[in-house]
Amino acid sequence: MQTKILTEFVTDPQQHRIETAVSRGAYQAWEKVVREIAPDDLIELVKKSGIRGRGGAGFPAGVKWGFVPRQSPKPKYLCCNADESEPGTCKDRVLLENDPHRVIEGMAICSFAIESHQAFVYIRGEFVLAARRMQAAIDEAYQRGYLGKNIFGSGYDLDMVVHRGGGAYICGEETALLNSLEGDRGVTRIRPPFPAVEGLYGCPTVVNNVETLSALPSIVNRGADWWAQLGTEKSTGTKLFSLSGHVKRPGNYEVEMGYSLKNLIYEKGGGILDDKKLKVVIPGGSSTPMLTPDKIDTPLDFESVVTAGSMLGSGAVIVIHEETCIVWVTELLAHFYAHESCGKCTPCREGTQWMYEILRRIEHGRGTMEDIDTLLDLADNIEGNTICPLGDAAAVPVISSIKQFRDEYIYHIEHKKCLVKSDFRLR
Amino acid sequence: MADFEITIDGQQVPVTKGQTVLEAAQAVGIEIPHFCWHRHLVPVGACRICLVEIEKFPKLQPACATVAGEGMVVHTDSPQVIKARQGVLEFLLANHPLDCPTCDQGGECELQDVAFKYGLDYSRHQEPKHRFLVGPESTFDDLRIGPEIIRSQNRCIHCYRCVRLVNEAFMEDDLGAYQRGCHTEIKPPPGGEIRNLYSGNLVQNCPVGALTSSDWRYQVRVWLTKQAQVICPHCPDGCNLKLWTYHNRILRATAAGNDFVNDGFICDVGRYGYQFATSPDRIKQPMIRKAGELVEATWTEALEYIKSQTNTLKSKLSGSGFFGLVGESSTNEEIYAFGRLLRRVIGTNNIDHRLGRKRKLSLGRQVVERGIGSDTIEYADIEKADVILVIGSDLHAENPITALRVKKAIRQHGARLILANPRPTPLGIRAAQVEVIYKPATEVMFLLGLIAALISEAGKKPEAIDLEASPIEEFRSKHESSGQAAAICGVAAATLEKIAATLSNAENIVILTGREVEQHPYRDSIYLAIGNLQSLCRSACFAPMPTDSNSRGASLFGAEPDLLPGGVSVDDKAGYEDTWKGPISEMVGKDTIGILDAIAEDEIECGFIFNTDPIRVFPDGNQVKSILEGLKLLVVIDSFMNDTARIADVILPLSSSLETEGTVVNWEGRLQYSQAAIAPLFESKPGCEIIELLADHLGVKFNQPTPTDVYREMIQFLNGEMPAQTQAIGREGVLIKSTEKKAVPDLADIKYTPYSEDNQYPFVLLVGNADHHRGTLSEKNDSLMKFTSEPFVGINAAEADKLIVANGDLVRVESRYGKVVGKVTILKGFADGQVLVPDNFIELCPNLLMGRQEKVDLVKLTKM
Amino acid sequence: MILSPQAREKIVAAAKQYPQVKSAILPALHVANEEHGYVSDQMYREIADLLDLKCVDVAAAASFYTYFPKAPRGRYYIQVCRNISCALLGARHLSTYLQEKLGLKELGETTPDNLFTVVEVECLGSCTTAPMMQINDDYYENLTKEKVDQIIADLKSRAPGR
């Protein structure tokens, strides 16, 4: 079965040009939407497709759009979240760089549904090529009248702006993204009010992930039912998985929801690097709990991964083999979250740094047995008590690794060294 | 009224719609700890110490940012809440230096208090504490980030109150949060300092010792101090201060909570302006002029000297040969007792308090009869206003706390501020929706233009104007078009139309005028024009802001030649003679101008000047000096050595306002009671005691040596219920209401005469205060001198180019009356042909340049 | 003025794209960074003046983001991804290899010829092509020792004056 939908043309080096993209059907869905579909019907269509947000939380996109108060006299905004920064995740970049017109078309469709006339794509600062490609594509789209004033003679106007981030993982969190886009420090905001009601510049705003938006042209062209029959009942459609780490063929793979983790690693990814033994898999980006090899048969959809004890997250599958120290991995991740905490709320600001420092101590052979329970308790004091999910994200790897590899922590503390040496060299 | 109830810890708690869980809990005395929450700021839910459990919510919620919903069941002490709270505290303390023994905040530290109540007595944190270092070689993290503020970043708990106050409440731009995560630090912008006028509030509102004030640091433990509630003596805003004293020394001032008035804030002038009490300029003991020199004397010698001199003079002069001038920062009791001394003991009504630039007349009858400006406006009205029109006022500098209320109205419900001034003022950049710069002395034309625009606006929308009250046709026929007015005042007709449209759509307009209008030769015309403007708006009230801290008290309590205490005409004196047990003159006395003229004519030979310095403040100071020098006897009662005291025959040392209790009336007309913070310093005595001594020596004993005694007698002359004793005056004070009258518009009465220009003196002189200063009192405070200590002469860049001067070059400013010399400062946005001279520096006296009769003061500038 | 007229033009043009000027802070920082390779206090002030914004807002925002170095750096700014996917495939070794190769004692240092600065950064979103590094605007992926040698050699030969 054809499962390459979003990524169908990404390997074609010409796909980012509008001639190529249009020759393959780009902007047909957009034209159809503008000419034939009322915003309410469009929202219904998307609800019916069952597509859920691909940024990590998995919230149904159509429902999110439905929260935008239609009667509000304020302008409405769409922000495409292209601040892809969750370790392990690099699926959006593929779309942005190689098929920008699909992203633009998806953004346009969403804008039309929520009656927005101004859309922003917030691209992480380091993605220079992606930003250039998106800008060039937007310029082309303006030239061809797909964007700008009076699109397809309908009287509908839409402007689109590329906004580059500045290197801050937190800006992928929607409220921090809005602050950053407004020119403020990218700190998070408390919710409520939710962005759909009071978002960018205090106006109703939808923030959707690149992948979510990129699915829209296909959903419009081929129908909600077609999308809904792909994947599983509750997790519809296809999903991009970034397979990285200790696999033979890392890469971005688009498969139907419900595709098994085992097949992804062994079929698509060709198995574990150097035919070593699998130690652990992080299935949905660095902030999702680790899965041990006994969970290898888990189908990759939102529900099944939760049942297995983790989360689908952004679909970043990080494979880790037997010669890796789990304390080292956890320290690495803890460092990341401490580095990326925005500093607004106490548990995250102080807790992420503290956890990192304890882990560093253990990793360097200076840990104590009490540290293990302290770590668990600190993680517990962070989890659920912060403004945004970054705190939870930081707590997860700590809790998950201690729960599943407590013995390795004990060994580390007792022997003041790793059980297995994570000595990875350039090849 | 409560809209519904929620349950907190089993208790039914009434809630007004929109209230947060924290506010509802606070209202009934249920304590929920909090750090980042501040009642003037938008909740950010950052510190997480206020997390509570709300049934049916999946996670703990921040009480500060959760709006209470009907039927909510909240737990503030469930095991989950306690664990989270202890967790947050442990996080906060993890990197906190715990240098409590040497921290100034000890005893009033919110972190300490919350940890004391909810924290654990151990920490699991073993890592080296994260340290912010000031310099590469320093491990000491004190960093001066403002003239008076020192930051100890390591103590900071990142509640961001300071940054949010600066942004939201003060609308300033000199503090921000930098970096991120646990490296986040609070700093001014690169190369800058925190020097906004409200900077001290950041220290007061810092929950910990991260921001401290250099005046207070390492002085005393807070629990060893005494506190007094004092009304700030620096401006008519009437802020409530708390003065913290130790062994009769004032160590700091903080804002005392009074939501009726200062709403929890004070400006830096009030905060650091207590230091004048111990200024070297203080007059420490009585002095008598002997052989041309002032020499120190005892109280007995001085009083006996005054007695004998006065009696000699009295034997040849009637009472009309005497006068009294009283300063507008004196207390009501001092003013009342001083007036009584003059009228009853000396036998003259020659008394005045109006000494400001150019101001010589009472409000014209027309203005008084119409009751223009007599609407009683309170701070609360400003807060409610949807449009605030400020004319002729540097509100930010003149009434800093009123300006803060304006900002609150803007912040809370988008009120629009329209500023009209002859020069740009700080509020313009910070908060104004429209800032209008009119040509100097064209306020009347600006208002007439606005009225014309409002009338044509009414043509478009008749319902916007109360036609009954406004004879529109008559208006129209008499009136010039807004275009003509625009040309004269130099404000674009389109701007006038824009303002008119805003006014005609407004429901609650507040109009404020300030110093520029108050001291304006056309003041009465301006007031009349405002009266007309008011009647064209649906609901507009108007308050002319007085100049000094107790200007309103001075006119209420009998310091004007024609009015007895309570505003009663001098010919209606019977009741006063009864109370004062003796006769008083029914002749209207002379006002300040009249007094000076009479001295020059040798009709007046003896004067008492209480707490003011006419040579320094009255126009043409040189002339005032030479006139006063002609007196046979000049008695000066003051706290500080000043130009007038220097020519006195006798000086009596007056206790400063901080050593004296008494009542004062702020711009609202709110009478408030001010405690004495410390006992009188040096040989000084409080005003009421000095006046009682003088009266006694001059032959009448009132037996009222204390303000409390005077207050009891004084209040009988006020209409309305007054608390019988000063102690009974509550936090709200007493609003003294004037009778309200509706103004009837009559444009025919409004005159505009342009001033004649003078090629020889091409600049128009504008007077204001330097940053962080107000009058000459502020200069006696070391802390305030750290903000601005250099006198300057302000002109724009183009004028500076013409004069070939740069910042810091000396220029001579000269009028036909006098000259001063100062360093040039180039001001942004200033019009050509204008020069600003601050009047708060001893070395620079703009009043020397002014003429008593001038409409506009014209000067020339010369490079030195 | 540190910012060139062209840069200033770009900044003003960027500001016009947004409903509120303040949104142009990040675009302005990018323009400044592209022109100078770092963004200084003076540039914050110039940006604030140009856009009529508060300097504190520009400076505070800039300090929040890691993408804008505060001080000049080498002509080639090498950012080595240190996060999980790259770390599993030798990122640590990559940065020590670069340091040794370029004779740098520690991270953040610049070679004496002002050509190279090496830093480690968090995940750059190139996880499926690990290990990787970013040099100025460009990503260099699936790195091996050989590739690194080649890249450095190429950059050296491209440098002006050689």
Side-chain angles (χ1 to χ4, degrees):
Chain A
M1 184 187 275
Q2 169 64 283
T3 52
K4 279 196 167 183
I5 295 165
L6 278 66
T7 55
E8 189 176 356
F9 305 115
V10 294
T11 47
D12 181 343
Q14 294 305 312
Q15 178 66 15
H16 64 89
R17 300 187 188 282
I18 199 161
E19 320 71 79
T20 316
V22 166
S23 74
R24 287 175 168 152
Y27 297 108
Q28 279 174 9
W30 177 222
E31 185 164 2
K32 185 174 166 187
V33 162
V34 174
R35 291 194 194 282
E36 296 167 20
I37 309 181
D40 285 336
D41 297 337
L42 187 54
I43 293 179
E44 272 317 302
L45 178 88
V46 173
K47 279 185 185 165
K48 218 170 121 200
S49 77
I51 184 166
R52 293 164 66 174
R54 263 53 171 152
F59 194 81
V63 178
K64 197 175 199 177
W65 300 0
F67 292 150
V68 173
R70 309 296 289 279
Q71 305 312 319
S72 168
K74 294 177 181 171
K76 290 145 197 96
Y77 297 109
L78 165 68
C79 299
C80 170
N81 189 344
D83 190 50
E84 183 167 66
S85 313
E86 170 97 350
T89 318
C90 56
K91 63 188 178 71
D92 294 339
R93 185 179 142 224
V94 174
L95 297 168
L96 295 162
E97 287 180 359
N98 301 312
D99 200 355
H101 289 289
R102 172 176 278 278
V103 182
I104 293 166
E105 190 176 7
M107 287 172 68
I109 292 168
C110 175
S111 300
F112 190 83
I114 59 165
E115 295 177 50
S116 162
H117 300 285
Q118 175 81 65
F120 297 94
V121 50
Y122 187 105
I123 303 181
R124 66 173 299 179
E126 296 85 349
F127 282 178
V128 181
L129 178 62
R132 282 188 194 140
R133 289 264 168 94
M134 279 297 287
Q135 187 60 58
I138 287 171
D139 294 344
E140 288 174 333
Y142 267 101
Q143 279 162 18
R144 293 215 175 185
Y146 299 140
L147 294 175
K149 297 266 177 265
N150 193 18
I151 297 165
F152 301 122
S154 65
Y156 178 75
D157 305 335
L158 178 62
D159 285 312
M160 210 171 269
V161 170
V162 173
H163 188 89
R164 294 178 62 200
Y169 165 71
I170 189 63
C171 291
E173 192 280 333
E174 60 179 7
T175 62
L177 183 149
L178 297 175
N179 272 339
S180 179
L181 189 40
E182 286 181 14
D184 279 327
R185 296 157 51 75
V187 296
T188 54
R189 303 175 182 171
I190 44 166
R191 282 167 292 199
F194 288 92
V197 180
E198 224 175 278
L200 190 63
Y201 311 118
C203 301
T205 306
V206 163
V207 183
N208 272 158
N209 176 259
V210 172
E211 187 187 346
T212 318
L213 292 167
S214 299
L216 298 175
S218 303
I219 293 174
V220 169
N221 281 330
R222 301 168 77 170
D225 293 339
W226 162 80
W227 182 266
Q229 53 82 30
L230 292 170
T232 70
E233 193 194 335
K234 289 186 174 164
S235 303
T236 59
T238 61
K239 170 92 190 77
L240 269 67
F241 288 93
S242 302
L243 181 64
S244 71
H246 292 145
V247 285
K248 289 180 179 163
R249 286 194 302 272
N252 282 297
Y253 298 102
E254 184 178 5
V255 294
E256 274 188 63
M257 283 280 197
Y259 192 79
S260 97
L261 177 59
K262 185 176 182 179
N263 286 346
L264 186 70
I265 296 172
Y266 290 93
E267 301 287 318
K268 302 276 183 195
I272 309 299
L273 196 64
D274 300 335
D275 295 319
K276 297 263 191 308
K277 247 172 77 187
L278 175 65
K279 179 166 187 167
V280 77
V281 181
I282 303 176
S286 64
S287 60
T288 57
M290 301 166 180
L291 292 178
T292 41
D294 54 310
K295 300 281 167 55
I296 194 73
D297 290 316
T298 303
L300 292 168
D301 60 73
F302 288 111
E303 290 69 30
S304 305
V305 183
V306 169
T307 310
S310 185
M311 288 185 301
L312 190 68
S314 58
V317 179
I318 305 162
V319 178
I320 297 169
H321 71 40
E322 56 186 334
E323 288 181 3
T324 317
C325 169
I326 209 74
V327 179
W328 175 79
V329 167
T330 314
E331 184 212 342
L332 206 70
L333 297 180
H335 179 273
F336 173 73
Y337 290 108
H339 184 261
E340 300 299 336
S341 168
C342 80
K344 183 167 180 174
C345 73
T346 309
C348 177
R349 180 185 64 244
E350 303 293 334
T352 52
Q353 178 70 15
W354 189 355
M355 290 197 305
Y356 160 64
E357 283 170 12
I358 295 178
L359 283 160
R360 185 177 56 184
R361 206 153 38 73
I362 299 175
E363 170 65 13
H364 287 82
R366 288 180 280 115
T368 64
M369 283 302 168
E370 293 78 46
D371 284 338
I372 300 176
D373 289 327
T374 302
L375 275 174
L376 280 176
D377 195 55
L378 294 181
D380 182 58
N381 284 344
I382 298 170
E383 204 176 14
N385 291 341
T386 54
I387 295 177
C388 83
L390 193 142
D392 302 344
V396 161
V398 173
I399 297 173
S400 149
S401 72
I402 294 180
K403 276 195 183 152
Q404 302 184 65
F405 298 94
R406 196 178 185 108
D407 289 351
E408 202 173 322
Y409 275 85
I410 293 172
Y411 179 93
H412 220 304
I413 291 164
E414 280 179 345
H415 295 84
K416 305 188 190 303
K417 61 172 190 180
C418 302
L419 179 65
V420 280
K421 212 168 159 209
S422 324
D423 187 19
F424 304 116
R425 319 285 298 174
L426 278 183
R427 296 186 179 233
Chain B
M1 277 299 101
D3 293 315
F4 52 83
E5 289 190 332
I6 63 172
T7 311
I8 306 180
D9 298 341
Q11 188 180 334
Q12 292 302 109
V13 175
V15 171
T16 334
K17 208 163 172 260
Q19 245 183 342
T20 61
V21 172
L22 179 70
E23 287 161 346
Q26 280 178 335
V28 296
I30 297 175
E31 189 184 282
I32 300 174
H34 52 79
F35 291 121
C36 66
W37 180 85
H38 187 286
R39 68 200 184 95
H40 288 301
L41 300 173
V42 177
V44 290
C47 74
R48 315 307 278 184
I49 196 75
C50 74
L51 288 175
V52 292
E53 187 178 333
I54 304 177
E55 291 183 8
K56 294 179 188 151
F57 279 64
K59 297 196 287 187
L60 298 181
Q61 298 295 315
C64 71
T66 306
V67 175
E70 196 162 358
M72 263 184 185
V73 181
V74 181
H75 301 281
T76 73
D77 57 358
S78 68
Q80 205 194 344
V81 172
I82 290 170
K83 178 165 193 299
R85 196 181 278 160
Q86 284 172 349
V88 170
L89 266 176
E90 191 183 30
F91 286 137
L92 285 173
L93 293 170
N95 285 301
H96 188 84
L98 291 170
D99 56 346
C100 307
T102 56
C103 175
D104 276 288
Q105 197 78 359
E108 53 180 0
C109 172
E110 294 174 41
L111 180 62
Q112 210 174 50
D113 295 348
V114 173
F116 172 78
K117 195 149 182 195
Y118 302 100
L120 297 171
D121 58 356
Y122 63 89
S123 168
R124 293 171 291 183
H125 191 258
Q126 301 168 24
E127 323 311 316
K129 292 196 185 230
H130 179 247
R131 284 285 155 265
F132 289 90
L133 304 178
V134 172
E137 277 128 51
S138 170
T139 53
F140 190 55
D141 97 307
D142 287 351
L143 178 69
R144 185 172 288 281
I145 56 170
E148 274 298 299
I149 301 181
I150 289 157
R151 186 204 72 175
S152 307
Q153 184 61 43
N154 291 321
R155 293 177 184 154
C156 174
I157 58 167
H158 298 93
C159 69
Y160 303 107
R161 273 192 215 167
C162 51
V163 178
R164 288 152 62 216
L165 280 171
V166 166
N167 268 320
E168 293 176 34
F170 307 152
M171 298 184 181
E172 297 284 349
D173 59 0
D174 49 10
L175 191 65
Y178 295 76
Q179 317 301 331
R180 69 183 187 212
C182 66
H183 304 283
T184 307
E185 63 174 319
I186 306 300
K187 269 194 320 194
E193 272 190 324
I194 311 183
R195 49 184 323 140
N196 73 68
L197 189 53
Y198 308 101
S199 71
N201 292 294
L202 308 179
V203 174
Q204 187 176 347
N205 286 285
C206 178
V208 294
L211 298 178
T212 48
S213 229
S214 41
D215 62 336
W216 168 253
R217 278 163 63 94
Y218 303 125
Q219 295 284 325
V220 65
R221 273 307 188 187
V222 65
W223 52 84
L224 299 175
T225 60
K226 285 193 216 161
Q227 297 94 45
Q229 298 272 352
V230 167
I231 305 303
C232 178
H234 290 280
C235 91
D237 280 351
C239 295
N240 292 214
L241 306 180
K242 195 186 268 188
L243 293 183
W244 304 68
T245 66
Y246 182 64
H247 290 308
N248 213 40
R249 256 186 343 127
I250 306 170
L251 296 175
R252 72 167 170 185
T254 57
N258 186 344
D259 289 354
F260 297 105
V261 185
N262 46 311
D263 213 18
F265 298 124
I266 51 173
C267 73
D268 285 356
V269 180
R271 186 175 302 269
Y272 301 116
Y274 63 86
Q275 296 158 359
F276 63 74
T278 48
S279 141
D281 293 345
R282 271 298 287 263
I283 298 168
K284 293 181 177 157
Q285 61 192 95
M287 299 179 105
I288 301 174
R289 186 169 301 277
K290 285 183 180 159
E293 292 292 314
L294 281 167
V295 293
E296 289 171 354
T298 64
W299 271 97
T300 316
E301 285 164 0
L303 288 165
E304 287 300 328
Y305 182 82
I306 294 169
K307 181 179 169 181
S308 70
Q309 294 292 307
T310 309
N311 286 342
T312 316
L313 287 166
K314 245 187 151 175
S315 61
K316 77 169 192 168
L317 294 164
S318 69
S320 63
F322 291 77
F323 79 92
L325 294 176
V326 58
E328 293 181 333
S329 62
S330 312
T331 64
N332 295 327
E333 290 74 14
E334 289 167 340
I335 290 160
Y336 174 89
F338 186 70
R340 189 178 58 183
L341 174 77
L342 267 292
R343 297 182 205 273
R344 167 69 185 87
V345 182
I346 294 170
T348 180
N349 285 328
N350 295 339
I351 176 169
D352 209 347
H353 63 96
R354 292 158 299 178
L355 291 156
R357 188 170 83 102
K358 294 176 189 163
R359 199 165 30 132
K360 53 176 182 169
L361 295 166
S362 295
L363 286 178
R365 276 288 147 219
Q366 216 186 3
V367 175
V368 172
E369 276 162 15
R370 290 196 181 159
I372 294 170
S374 67
D375 317 75
T376 309
I377 309 185
E378 298 175 40
Y379 280 106
D381 296 308
I382 295 180
E383 211 171 303
K384 281 189 304 220
D386 52 1
V387 173
I388 298 152
L389 172 61
V390 176
I391 305 166
S393 166
D394 179 358
L395 197 69
H396 174 82
E398 292 171 31
N399 303 86
I401 289 298
T402 308
L404 219 46
R405 280 301 174 92
V406 170
K407 289 175 182 173
K408 191 176 182 186
I410 295 169
R411 175 174 94 244
Q412 288 195 336
H413 59 266
R416 279 149 301 169
L417 170 64
I418 300 162
L419 268 185
N421 273 306
R423 61 179 168 103
T425 61
L427 208 53
I429 309 158
R430 293 169 167 94
Q433 194 199 29
V434 183
E435 186 182 23
V436 164
I437 308 291
Y438 52 72
K439 291 183 188 159
T442 64
E443 290 84 355
V444 171
M445 265 345 266
F446 165 69
L447 283 160
L448 290 179
L450 204 51
I451 287 166
L454 210 51
I455 291 171
S456 55
E457 184 72 19
K460 287 182 243 160
K461 271 198 315 181
E463 73 284 358
I465 286 190
D466 180 3
L467 286 168
E468 295 267 324
S470 324
I472 291 285
E473 287 313 315
E474 202 181 324
F475 254 61
R476 232 187 281 249
S477 60
K478 282 178 183 169
H479 211 282
E480 300 172 64
S481 73
S482 59
Q484 289 163 302
I488 295 171
C489 68
V491 178
T495 308
L496 292 173
E497 282 155 25
K498 188 177 161 194
I499 299 171
T502 307
L503 291 176
S504 75
N505 286 324
E507 296 294 338
N508 276 308
I509 301 169
V510 165
I511 304 170
L512 303 174
T513 58
R515 175 188 176 128
E516 194 62 35
V517 171
E518 159 83 352
Q519 302 185 4
H520 201 288
Y522 307 130
R523 179 188 59 188
D524 286 8
S525 298
I526 297 172
Y527 286 173
L528 282 173
I530 290 173
N532 285 315
L533 188 70
Q534 267 181 290
S535 70
L536 285 168
C537 299
R538 241 169 303 183
S539 164
C541 44
F542 164 44
M545 302 302 249
T547 321
D548 272 323
S549 58
N550 198 27
S551 298
R552 287 198 66 158
S555 53
L556 266 171
F557 290 101
E560 286 174 20
D562 50 346
L563 298 174
L564 292 163
V568 173
S569 171
V570 283
D571 49 19
D572 194 6
K573 63 193 173 106
Y576 297 86
E577 292 181 326
D578 288 351
T579 308
W580 294 348
K581 298 187 179 67
I584 54 179
S585 165
E586 72 278 347
M587 280 207 353
V588 171
K590 293 184 164 60
D591 66 8
T592 310
I593 295 267
I595 290 167
L596 290 171
D597 289 346
I599 300 170
E601 301 288 321
D602 288 335
E603 288 166 25
I604 290 180
E605 295 190 356
C606 172
F608 293 81
I609 296 182
F610 185 95
N611 192 23
T612 189
D613 182 8
I615 296 177
R616 183 66 175 74
V617 293
F618 206 72
D620 202 353
N622 289 331
Q623 198 197 16
V624 173
K625 184 174 180 221
S626 70
I627 290 174
L628 291 179
E629 277 170 340
L631 286 165
K632 296 267 180 345
L633 176 66
L634 175 59
V635 179
V636 168
I637 304 144
D638 211 316
S639 310
F640 304 102
M641 185 52 78
N642 57 38
D643 288 349
T644 307
R646 273 180 206 106
I647 62 161
D649 298 295
V650 187
I651 303 176
L652 300 178
L654 175 67
S655 299
S656 80
S657 61
L658 306 177
E659 298 142 48
T660 313
E661 62 168 345
T663 60
V664 286
V665 183
N666 76 349
W667 69 259
E668 299 168 286
R670 190 185 300 275
L671 182 139
Q672 302 188 95
Y673 172 64
S674 185
Q675 288 180 329
I678 48 174
L681 293 177
F682 317 112
E683 293 282 303
S684 76
K685 290 182 192 293
C688 287
E689 191 182 334
I690 296 175
I691 296 165
E692 177 70 28
L693 285 168
L694 281 171
D696 189 12
H697 278 77
L698 300 178
V700 184
K701 220 173 162 66
F702 292 103
N703 285 318
Q704 291 176 6
T706 70
T708 321
D709 303 326
V710 177
Y711 175 85
R712 243 181 262 131
E713 179 182 301
M714 174 181 97
I715 52 161
Q716 64 179 294
F717 297 114
L718 280 190
N719 298 322
E721 291 287 303
M722 296 291 294
Q725 299 198 343
T726 49
Q727 287 81 355
I729 299 171
R731 186 44 63 85
E732 195 175 350
V734 183
L735 263 182
I736 298 169
K737 298 208 160 76
S738 8
T739 43
E740 282 190 44
K741 282 178 202 162
K742 182 92 180 170
V744 181
D746 184 359
L747 284 174
D749 288 327
I750 300 170
K751 299 211 173 47
Y752 171 75
T753 351
Y755 67 88
S756 25
E757 292 182 9
D758 185 339
N759 287 341
Q760 226 193 320
Y761 298 99
F763 282 86
V764 173
L765 172 71
L766 299 172
V767 177
N769 280 311
D771 180 36
H772 275 77
H773 283 285
R774 195 184 169 88
T776 49
L777 195 57
S778 58
E779 209 183 14
K780 304 184 197 305
N781 303 279
D782 292 343
S783 292
L784 294 175
M785 293 305 279
K786 291 184 194 167
F787 288 88
T788 308
S789 56
E790 279 249 300
F792 63 88
V793 171
I795 46 174
N796 72 14
E799 296 289 5
D801 285 350
K802 271 193 248 164
L803 290 166
I804 325 172
V805 288
N807 269 326
D809 288 353
L810 282 179
V811 284
R812 183 169 60 229
V813 189
E814 196 171 353
S815 75
R816 57 183 79 249
Y817 303 96
K819 55 175 181 270
V820 299
V821 172
K823 283 183 182 170
V824 164
T825 284
I826 292 169
L827 298 172
K828 264 191 185 170
F830 237 62
D832 289 349
Q834 296 190 355
V835 53
L836 176 73
V837 179
D839 67 350
N840 54 275
F841 295 108
I842 297 285
E843 309 93 304
L844 197 62
C845 307
N847 76 318
L848 300 180
L849 303 168
M850 298 171 187
R852 275 196 263 161
Q853 309 296 340
E854 297 293 339
K855 295 190 173 89
V856 169
D857 296 302
L858 298 173
V859 296
K860 66 178 175 188
L861 264 63
T862 326
K863 186 181 177 179
M864 304 268 296
Chain C
M1 292 297 185
I2 297 180
L3 296 173
S4 69
Q6 294 84 337
R8 301 167 72 83
E9 247 170 60
K10 274 190 208 168
I11 291 169
V12 171
K16 291 196 180 121
Q17 296 185 291
Y18 298 93
Q20 291 181 10
V21 177
K22 203 174 163 193
S23 285
I25 289 181
L26 265 174
L29 293 170
H30 277 294
V31 171
N33 192 41
E34 272 156 27
E35 187 171 279
H36 296 277
Y38 70 105
V39 190
S40 65
D41 288 350
Q42 178 58 27
M43 291 185 228
Y44 298 154
R45 275 190 283 270
E46 288 184 19
I47 291 168
D49 288 346
L50 187 61
L51 298 177
D52 199 17
L53 294 169
K54 300 171 178 177
C55 179
V56 68
D57 287 339
V58 179
S63 74
F64 186 86
Y65 303 101
T66 52
Y67 194 68
F68 311 106
K70 275 225 67 169
R73 60 199 185 185
R75 182 180 180 84
Y76 300 110
Y77 185 50
I78 306 182
Q79 305 186 66
V80 178
C81 174
R82 71 186 299 280
N83 214 287
I84 180 85
S85 304
C86 289
L88 291 171
L89 295 167
R92 197 79 262 275
H93 183 216
L94 169 59
S95 69
T96 50
Y97 183 71
L98 278 166
Q99 283 178 65
E100 279 164 23
K101 190 170 172 60
L102 298 169
L104 299 170
K105 277 195 252 4
E106 53 189 66
L107 290 170
E109 249 183 59
T110 302
T111 51
D113 55 6
N114 271 328
L115 272 189
F116 298 98
T117 307
V118 179
V119 295
E120 280 186 2
V121 295
E122 294 299 346
C123 181
L124 287 172
S126 186
C127 317
T128 55
T129 45
M132 63 80 65
M133 62 187 174
Q134 180 171 15
I135 305 180
N136 298 348
D137 289 350
D138 304 320
Y139 277 26
Y140 294 80
E141 300 168 301
N142 293 314
L143 295 174
T144 59
K145 269 187 175 175
E146 264 173 42
K147 269 194 179 180
V148 172
D149 293 345
Q150 187 60 47
I151 291 162
I152 298 297
D154 283 354
L155 292 176
K156 277 187 176 164
S157 67
R158 243 194 277 163
R162 271 160 221 266

